[in-house]
Amino acid sequence: SHGNKEYAYLLCVGMHGESGADAKCPPQNNTAINFFCNYEESRGNFLVDVDGNRMLDVYTQIASIPIGYNHPALLKVVSDPNNASAFVNRPALGILPPESFVDKLTEGLLTVAPKGLNRVQNMACGSCSNENAYKAMFIWYRNKERGTSIPSDADLSSCMINQLSILSFSGAFHGRTMGCLATTHSKPIHKLDVPSFDWPIAPFPRLQYPLDEHVRENAQEEARCLEETEDLIVKWRHKGMPVAGVVIEPIQAEGGDNHASAAFFISLRKIASKHGCAFHVDEVQTGGGATGRFWAHEHWGAEDPADIVSFSKKLLTGGFFYRDEMETDKPYRIFNTWMGDPSKNLLLAEVLNVIRQENLLAEVTRTGKALLGGLYELQAKYPNLLSRARGQGTFCAIDVCKASVRDKLILQARDNGVILGGCGDLSIRFRPALIFKEHHVHMFLNVFSDLLAAH
Amino acid sequence: SHGNKEYAYLLCVGMHGESGADAKCPPQNNTAINFFCNYEESRGNFLVDVDGNRMLDVYTQIASIPIGYNHPALLKVVSDPNNASAFVNRPALGILPPESFVDKLTEGLLTVAPKGLNRVQNMACGSCSNENAYKAMFIWYRNKERGTSIPSDADLSSCMINQLSILSFSGAFHGRTMGCLATTHSKPIHKLDVPSFDWPIAPFPRLQYPLDEHVRENAQEEARCLEETEDLIVKWRHKGMPVAGVVIEPIQAEGGDNHASAAFFISLRKIASKHGCAFHVDEVQTGGGATGRFWAHEHWGAEDPADIVSFSKKLLTGGFFYRDEMETDKPYRIFNTWMGDPSKNLLLAEVLNVIRQENLLAEVTRTGKALLGGLYELQAKYPNLLSRARGQGTFCAIDVCKASVRDKLILQARDNGVILGGCGDLSIRFRPALIFKEHHVHMFLNVFSDLLAAH
Ligand code: FES
């Protein structure tokens, strides 16, 4: 029943500026709050709100719930008295790790190490993962230039001059702390008023979908972007701000679910290598299985896909995998107090077990086919409303004719028991958990096609 | 017994570069690892290593364990089945908070809100707390300049020009992500190779200790620093990079436990206000009770101590308190996926209960007197080895004549069952948990004075 939704939904809406007017509103900018949830009652693919409404969740806390709400395997991890210590004694992992730390890494994160990346630096969220990946690339680049890891006195006193840069792409999203934000270009309001760096921004290909029906035009567009990228790398070197690393998402997520071909990424990686730049694939949103492979970059079929792969969200913790050559030369250069959280590693190891035991990557591929097929049908039926259906696995999106119509459809879907999220200017993105099955696809399609028919 | 410590201590030492040579070493730069711990067996003030050695912990995971290891009250929070959901369903707090979110804030964080700061933004660690506090100051400053919260098209496209700055102090430590790092100046190696901003760095007073025996010289030094700070604010305004905020630690911790007088901080806050700059007190290391007050800035006795106070470490989560006027004008300007972690809020609420029930702030004051008194005695007895004993509550430090002697004393203390940490060039810092009692002080003093006598 969706009878009494108003209480939850309207709780903080319009309250901004009337501070303290409702004790239920947190004393902070609360204007992004959609509604309040009952996580205790939520199960699997279904999120329950404070009024008891049970909704199919196709957004999963911004793509960050891997195997659904209250998965029994995860509840067991928490209730196991042997694990209590990990939850109450958060160590400074970089200096005093628990005895089990390496075993947990070996059973957990290292089982999903991307090809060629034998090392992993644990962090706590997407932002510190990317910030520290950038730092690792800066350090690697300068050590390579120096030919030695011993900095000169001039090096130590000259942080301001001869700075390095990171090349990113239009429409990219890599986080909102200040280093990440310098490479984020999804919405101007995210960057407004915050100082940034003069770093190069290359064009991300604007492709036509379905990709396999527009191969020639798309290849041209990708060639243009690659050429411009290479020009920018050369230009910034001449400016005295060489590009230490190129960072890119395998699918631009916040920026509107923009895809590119495997050939594009492989060529880009070659251009980066040719110019001595590290190649960093940001899999914070794409990693963890939603594309049908554990890492989206596996779809490229590349022998040598990346120098650095960062992750967070569905992996519950954060961090980045990297090549042996990119190891830092000294302690405390990549460091902070907590360096991640062993309790999240425990939960992650269990998530990875469930993915393997339930064969969830194959399931995602199957479910994704049904989802994308359904979206193709709907856009064929409503060509004035919908276009550009696209996706890999269940990591799908579709465009709506106008932003206002998109926003209205998302609200209406919610009022009919389906939680969706937007991205970019016109897109609806689909970010279900890995346990989303074909019958959940049909539940969503039924609600969505009714809304479209009524439009 | 400290018989077989070698295994744990030497595990990763010297292994750098021999990747995979010992399966127990994490595949990352592991050269900062001191030893591996058995957190299950650790209790209260005592950390146990993998060989079963039980050590008095006067460093507490870089000042981040508030009420000791495996506190029964915290174990109860984890084993309570009603809390399981908070540990396994990490929400996107900024958009879909749990029903209990506001109650948990009200029972928890808001009970320790600094004077005048009614609002709080939850974050996850010290770095994202400071990064977002800086962003809040930039946004506040520009909105104030505009006189409206509606940005012009020029504003939206001009992130690179007319940038703002944050004024920080020599010796400061505010974190290692790129915005924070631009204000961190404790050790050159932390900043080496990483691009930074051209922001003003004011001198932090270099005082003589004990403070009350050097009032006149210290006041002169503080006056000099205040004058230079004001000059820098004016200079950066003229450069076209106005100072949006001044950030300072109440005691510079990583930089060597540098103190300043209440009068200094109050004057500094006035100078910031006079020039329209926000005043941000970074209490990531000082907050949570170790100085004998919940916030170190309470010792200033100021009516209006700050515009922003950031925290993390002992508070288990992160975030910043702020004044109503500093609220952002729009959603998603201060935002990320997780916005903290409700499971840490649960633990924090319990930590705050324990602090109140066990009257721990008064205990810290009493214990701190014994600790500082003991340090004064030792430096009187060993004037060639020790100097500059200083502290507030148990947040104490003492200088050693040479860095090599300091490092050796810390190692010897560890081999005799006491874990200490260094800071700055010559200091040993004391960062016990809030449950550190006078008899623990005597345990430490006995070990330490034996080491000094043998030197
Ligand atoms: S920056 Fe990642 S947890 Fe704070």
Side-chain angles (χ1 to χ4, degrees):
Chain A
S1 127
H2 304 109
N4 55 348
K5 245 173 212 171
E6 286 68 20
Y7 170 70
Y9 291 154
L10 299 178
L11 218 46
C12 293
V13 178
M15 301 300 292
H16 183 53
E18 307 171 29
S19 80
D22 186 326
K24 280 287 173 198
C25 293
Q28 56 196 224
N29 186 317
N30 48 48
T31 52
I33 292 181
N34 289 332
F35 53 87
F36 287 80
C37 304
N38 184 335
Y39 288 104
E40 290 77 13
E41 292 300 318
S42 301
R43 286 288 175 286
N45 292 290
F46 293 90
L47 178 64
V48 173
D49 78 4
V50 290
D51 302 317
N53 299 300
R54 187 169 166 271
M55 290 170 274
L56 181 68
D57 194 351
V58 199
Y59 192 44
T60 60
Q61 313 295 324
I62 322 181
S64 69
I65 299 286
I67 53 173
Y69 297 104
N70 287 305
H71 195 290
L74 300 186
L75 289 169
K76 216 171 137 193
V77 170
V78 176
S79 65
D80 183 343
N82 292 325
N83 292 333
S85 156
F87 288 95
V88 302
N89 304 306
R90 189 174 186 179
L93 258 184
I95 57 170
L96 295 164
E99 184 167 15
S100 61
F101 176 51
V102 180
D103 290 341
K104 286 290 154 204
L105 275 187
T106 307
E107 289 162 25
L109 268 178
L110 291 172
T111 65
V112 292
K115 200 186 277 182
L117 309 190
N118 297 321
R119 302 180 81 78
V120 68
Q121 182 57 68
N122 30 290
M123 284 284 153
C125 79
S127 292
C128 39
S129 301
N130 283 340
E131 290 271 344
N132 282 285
Y134 295 177
K135 287 174 69 171
M137 296 194 285
F138 293 132
I139 292 168
W140 163 81
Y141 191 94
R142 282 290 187 228
N143 279 345
K144 191 163 59 94
E145 268 189 341
R146 277 183 204 112
T148 157
S149 64
I150 302 165
S152 67
D153 288 350
D155 289 331
L156 285 166
S157 60
S158 67
C159 303
M160 291 318 300
I161 50 165
N162 293 321
Q163 294 201 349
L164 297 171
S165 61
I166 299 287
L167 181 140
S168 57
F169 288 83
S170 56
F173 184 94
H174 300 292
R176 296 154 177 275
T177 50
M178 290 180 70
C180 295
L181 194 61
T183 59
T184 285
H185 320 287
S186 47
K187 291 213 176 77
I189 188 75
H190 294 166
K191 295 170 78 88
L192 180 65
D193 303 333
V194 184
S196 196
F197 294 105
D198 177 24
W199 290 353
I201 307 165
F204 191 88
R206 292 290 299 166
L207 302 188
Q208 296 179 52
Y209 301 94
L211 296 178
D212 52 11
E213 289 176 22
H214 302 85
V215 173
R216 204 177 47 84
E217 312 90 291
N218 285 346
Q220 272 176 5
E221 166 67 356
E222 291 186 336
R224 178 187 76 83
C225 293
L226 289 170
E227 201 180 312
E228 207 165 312
T229 304
E230 187 157 12
D231 286 352
L232 287 169
I233 293 175
V234 172
K235 199 169 154 199
W236 252 256
R237 185 164 62 226
H238 290 155
K239 277 174 85 159
M241 293 183 70
V243 174
V246 170
V247 64
I248 197 161
E249 299 152 274
I251 302 169
Q252 283 193 334
E254 301 298 314
D257 272 37
N258 304 314
H259 293 243
S261 71
F264 171 81
F265 289 105
I266 290 171
S267 300
L268 184 66
R269 196 267 185 278
K270 280 200 188 119
I271 290 170
S273 301
K274 173 181 160 194
H275 291 277
C277 318
F279 189 62
H280 170 183
V281 179
D282 177 345
E283 294 244 22
V284 168
Q285 188 152 168
T286 50
T291 68
R293 303 278 183 96
F294 195 84
W295 302 108
H297 73 253
E298 292 174 51
H299 291 279
W300 307 343
E303 255 321 292
D304 178 32
D307 297 307
I308 291 201
V309 170
S310 58
F311 58 86
S312 188
K313 287 194 183 261
K314 280 197 178 53
L315 282 89
L316 306 182
T317 179
F320 57 93
F321 288 98
Y322 58 106
R323 203 171 276 298
D324 293 345
E325 304 90 278
M326 303 211 62
E327 185 56 277
T328 49
D329 51 303
K330 292 187 182 58
Y332 298 108
R333 299 194 71 174
I334 301 291
F335 192 79
N336 58 48
T337 299
W338 285 319
M339 300 293 271
D341 184 339
S343 72
K344 305 297 183 194
N345 290 9
L346 280 179
L347 293 166
L348 170 61
E350 196 52 37
V351 165
L352 297 176
N353 283 339
V354 170
I355 290 176
R356 279 183 284 258
Q357 281 157 12
E358 302 185 9
N359 205 9
L360 289 183
L361 298 185
E363 289 288 306
V364 164
T365 301
R366 185 212 314 268
T367 306
K369 277 209 185 89
L371 177 57
L372 191 55
L375 294 174
Y376 283 146
E377 277 177 32
L378 286 175
Q379 81 180 7
K381 196 165 169 195
Y382 300 101
N384 296 328
L385 276 176
L386 301 178
S387 64
R388 304 177 79 235
R390 56 207 183 270
Q392 246 172 3
T394 55
F395 199 105
C396 292
I398 195 162
D399 278 14
V400 182
C401 55
K402 281 204 300 196
S404 57
V405 178
R406 187 259 317 255
D407 295 347
K408 193 178 159 199
L409 282 171
I410 291 176
L411 274 174
Q412 289 178 322
R414 191 193 64 183
D415 289 341
N416 286 276
V418 174
I419 302 172
L420 297 173
C423 67
D425 295 324
L426 296 174
S427 305
I428 294 175
R429 58 175 150 175
F430 302 94
R431 298 289 188 274
L434 306 176
I435 55 164
F436 201 74
K437 307 290 181 195
E438 282 185 74
H439 69 274
H440 298 113
V441 170
H442 295 302
M443 283 184 67
F444 153 69
L445 288 172
N446 286 343
V447 168
F448 199 53
S449 66
D450 282 356
L451 292 176
L452 295 167
H455 188 83
Chain B
S1 127
H2 303 109
N4 55 348
K5 244 174 214 168
E6 286 69 21
Y7 172 70
Y9 291 155
L10 300 179
L11 218 46
C12 292
V13 178
M15 303 299 292
H16 183 54
E18 309 172 26
S19 79
D22 186 326
K24 279 288 173 199
C25 293
Q28 56 195 221
N29 186 317
N30 49 48
T31 52
I33 292 180
N34 289 332
F35 53 88
F36 287 80
C37 303
N38 184 334
Y39 288 103
E40 289 77 11
E41 292 299 318
S42 301
R43 285 289 175 288
N45 292 290
F46 293 90
L47 178 63
V48 174
D49 78 4
V50 291
D51 302 317
N53 299 300
R54 188 169 165 271
M55 290 170 274
L56 181 69
D57 194 350
V58 199
Y59 192 45
T60 61
Q61 312 295 324
I62 321 182
S64 68
I65 299 286
I67 53 172
Y69 297 104
N70 288 304
H71 195 290
L74 300 186
L75 289 170
K76 216 170 137 194
V77 170
V78 176
S79 66
D80 183 344
N82 292 325
N83 292 334
S85 157
F87 288 95
V88 301
N89 304 305
R90 189 174 185 179
L93 258 183
I95 58 171
L96 295 164
E99 185 168 14
S100 61
F101 176 52
V102 179
D103 290 341
K104 285 289 154 206
L105 276 186
T106 308
E107 290 163 25
L109 268 178
L110 291 172
T111 65
V112 292
K115 202 186 277 182
L117 309 189
N118 297 319
R119 303 181 81 77
V120 67
Q121 182 58 68
N122 32 289
M123 284 285 153
C125 78
S127 292
C128 40
S129 302
N130 283 341
E131 290 272 344
N132 281 284
Y134 295 177
K135 287 174 69 171
M137 295 193 285
F138 293 133
I139 292 168
W140 163 83
Y141 190 92
R142 282 290 187 228
N143 279 345
K144 191 163 57 95
E145 268 189 339
R146 276 182 205 111
T148 158
S149 64
I150 302 165
S152 67
D153 288 351
D155 288 331
L156 285 167
S157 59
S158 67
C159 303
M160 289 320 297
I161 49 166
N162 293 322
Q163 295 202 348
L164 298 170
S165 61
I166 299 286
L167 181 141
S168 57
F169 288 83
S170 56
F173 183 94
H174 300 292
R176 296 156 177 273
T177 50
M178 289 178 71
C180 295
L181 194 62
T183 58
T184 285
H185 319 287
S186 47
K187 290 212 176 78
I189 188 75
H190 294 165
K191 296 170 77 87
L192 180 65
D193 303 333
V194 183
S196 195
F197 294 104
D198 177 24
W199 289 354
I201 307 165
F204 191 88
R206 292 288 301 166
L207 302 188
Q208 296 178 52
Y209 300 93
L211 295 178
D212 52 11
E213 290 176 22
H214 301 85
V215 173
R216 205 177 47 85
E217 311 92 290
N218 286 346
Q220 272 177 4
E221 165 67 355
E222 290 185 336
R224 178 187 76 83
C225 294
L226 289 170
E227 201 179 312
E228 207 164 315
T229 304
E230 187 156 13
D231 287 351
L232 286 169
I233 294 174
V234 173
K235 198 168 156 199
W236 252 256
R237 185 164 63 228
H238 290 156
K239 277 175 85 159
M241 293 183 71
V243 173
V246 170
V247 64
I248 197 162
E249 299 151 275
I251 302 169
Q252 284 194 333
E254 301 299 313
D257 272 36
N258 304 315
H259 293 245
S261 71
F264 171 80
F265 289 106
I266 290 171
S267 300
L268 183 66
R269 197 267 186 277
K270 281 201 188 118
I271 290 170
S273 301
K274 173 180 161 195
H275 291 277
C277 319
F279 189 62
H280 170 183
V281 180
D282 176 346
E283 294 243 22
V284 168
Q285 188 153 168
T286 50
T291 68
R293 303 280 183 96
F294 195 85
W295 302 109
H297 73 252
E298 292 173 51
H299 290 280
W300 307 344
E303 256 320 293
D304 179 32
D307 298 305
I308 292 202
V309 171
S310 57
F311 58 86
S312 188
K313 287 195 183 260
K314 281 198 178 51
L315 282 88
L316 307 182
T317 179
F320 56 94
F321 288 96
Y322 57 107
R323 203 170 278 296
D324 293 344
E325 304 91 275
M326 303 211 62
E327 185 57 276
T328 49
D329 50 303
K330 291 186 182 60
Y332 299 109
R333 298 194 71 175
I334 301 290
F335 192 80
N336 58 47
T337 300
W338 284 320
M339 300 292 269
D341 185 338
S343 72
K344 305 296 183 196
N345 290 8
L346 280 179
L347 293 166
L348 171 61
E350 196 52 37
V351 165
L352 298 176
N353 283 339
V354 170
I355 290 176
R356 280 183 283 259
Q357 281 158 12
E358 301 186 9
N359 205 10
L360 290 183
L361 298 185
E363 288 288 306
V364 163
T365 303
R366 186 213 312 267
T367 307
K369 278 210 185 91
L371 176 57
L372 192 56
L375 294 174
Y376 283 147
E377 277 178 32
L378 286 176
Q379 81 180 7
K381 195 165 169 193
Y382 301 101
N384 296 328
L385 277 176
L386 300 179
S387 65
R388 302 177 78 236
R390 56 206 183 271
Q392 246 172 1
T394 55
F395 199 105
C396 292
I398 194 161
D399 279 14
V400 183
C401 56
K402 282 204 300 197
S404 56
V405 177
R406 186 259 318 254
D407 296 347
K408 193 178 159 200
L409 282 171
I410 291 176
L411 274 174
Q412 289 178 323
R414 190 192 65 185
D415 289 342
N416 287 276
V418 174
I419 302 172
L420 297 173
C423 67
D425 295 324
L426 297 173
S427 305
I428 294 174
R429 59 175 150 177
F430 303 94
R431 298 290 187 273
L434 306 177
I435 55 165
F436 202 75
K437 307 291 180 195
E438 283 185 73
H439 67 274
H440 299 113
V441 170
H442 295 302
M443 283 184 67
F444 153 70
L445 289 172
N446 286 343
V447 168
F448 199 54
S449 66
D450 282 357
L451 292 176
L452 295 166
H455 188 84

